[in-house]
Amino acid sequence: EVKSIIIDGNGRIWATTLDNGIVVMDKNKKLLKQLQYDENKKNSLKIRKVTSLQRGPDGYIWATGNGGISRINPVTFAIDNLEGSPLAVLDSFLTTPLLFIDNENIWVGTDGQGVFHFNIASKKIRKYSTENGLVSNRLFAVNADKNGNIYMAGRGGLNILFTNGKIKTFTENEGLLINRAE
C-alpha cells in the first residue's frame, strides 16, 4: 500500500510502502534505492511503517510513520534518525502529518498523542492535545493558512489554533456533517 508520493529536486520519485519502507525511482521509473527498517542495522530507517514523506526546507526528505521521524539526504540516501534531537520524543508514536510552515517551525501530528510544534532555533517542543483544547488526539492532517493559523483535522473534528493561542473547534455541533476531518 502506497500512502505518500513526492518528487525530489532532481525529479526522482519517492514513495512510501507500508511494509517495505521507501522506494526511490528515477524519471524512467527505474529503482534507485530502497530504504527499510532493520533493527539490526544502525543506519536504517527507525520507522517500521512509513506513512508520509515531505520535502523539508533543509533539502532533506522527511519521513513519518510508526516509530517517529527520520530525514534522508536525497543525494547520498544517508538516514538521520534524529537521535539526541528533541524530536526523538516522538519515537514511540505513530506520526502522521508533518508540516513545515517556514525554515524554523515544524508541526507533527500523531495518531493518539495530539500535535507537536517544534521550533528549530530554540530547540523547544510543545504538545497540543485534548488536555489543552484539541477535540481529538488522533490527527489525519495538519496545515496552515497565510496568516500562520494552524489547522488540525482528526477523528473528532477540526481545530484551528490561531496565532494568538486561542483554539476554535468544529464538530457536528458547529456544522460538520460528521465528527471527522481529513
Side-chain angles (χ1 to χ4, degrees), residues 45-179:
L45 281 176
K46 69 179 176 185
I47 303 169
R48 289 170 208 79
K49 293 186 181 274
V50 182
T51 58
S52 177
L53 296 170
Q54 289 283 336
R55 288 175 61 184
D58 58 0
Y60 282 75
I61 305 298
W62 290 67
T64 62
N66 188 1
I69 302 172
S70 296
R71 68 182 196 146
I72 305 150
N73 183 311
V75 176
T76 65
F77 301 111
I79 298 169
D80 177 2
N81 284 318
L82 304 168
E83 296 161 343
S85 157
L87 290 172
V89 72
L90 301 171
D91 286 357
S92 60
F93 305 140
L94 171 56
T95 55
T96 49
L98 181 70
L99 172 69
F100 295 94
I101 59 170
D102 55 32
N103 289 337
E104 301 221 349
N105 292 283
I106 303 171
W107 292 82
V108 183
T110 68
D111 186 4
Q113 298 294 318
V115 68
F116 291 79
H117 171 230
F118 176 62
N119 181 279
I120 295 170
S122 70
K123 296 189 188 289
K124 292 190 177 178
I125 195 162
R126 180 168 181 196
K127 178 181 176 181
Y128 294 88
S129 68
T130 55
E131 294 174 3
N132 54 6
L134 295 190
V135 70
S136 174
N137 288 331
R138 300 186 75 192
L139 298 176
F140 300 126
V142 179
N143 215 327
D145 64 24
K146 65 181 179 181
N147 297 319
N149 301 309
I150 305 298
Y151 295 75
M152 297 165 277
R155 292 206 186 272
L158 173 70
N159 289 109
I160 303 172
L161 173 63
F162 295 101
T163 56
N164 65 8
K166 295 188 184 220
I167 296 175
K168 183 167 183 150
T169 299
F170 294 92
T171 64
E172 282 180 299
N173 294 338
E174 290 79 28
L176 289 182
L177 293 177
I178 60 172
N179 282 338

Side-chain angles (χ1 to χ4, degrees), residues 10-69:
N10 295 313
R12 293 177 293 188
I13 303 162
W14 294 64
T16 64
T17 64
L18 279 184
D19 294 319
N20 294 303
I22 299 168
V23 294
V24 184
M25 298 174 283
D26 67 14
K27 295 175 187 178
N28 299 315
K29 298 182 185 101
K30 178 183 174 212
L31 181 65
L32 295 174
K33 190 75 170 172
Q34 184 169 6
L35 305 165
Q36 292 181 287
Y37 169 79
D38 184 341
E39 65 185 32
N40 297 316
K41 291 184 180 175
K42 182 177 179 357
N43 296 324
S44 74
L45 281 176
K46 69 179 176 185
I47 303 169
R48 289 170 208 79
K49 293 186 181 274
V50 182
T51 58
S52 177
L53 296 170
Q54 289 283 336
R55 288 175 61 184
D58 58 0
Y60 282 75
I61 305 298
W62 290 67
T64 62
N66 188 1
I69 302 172

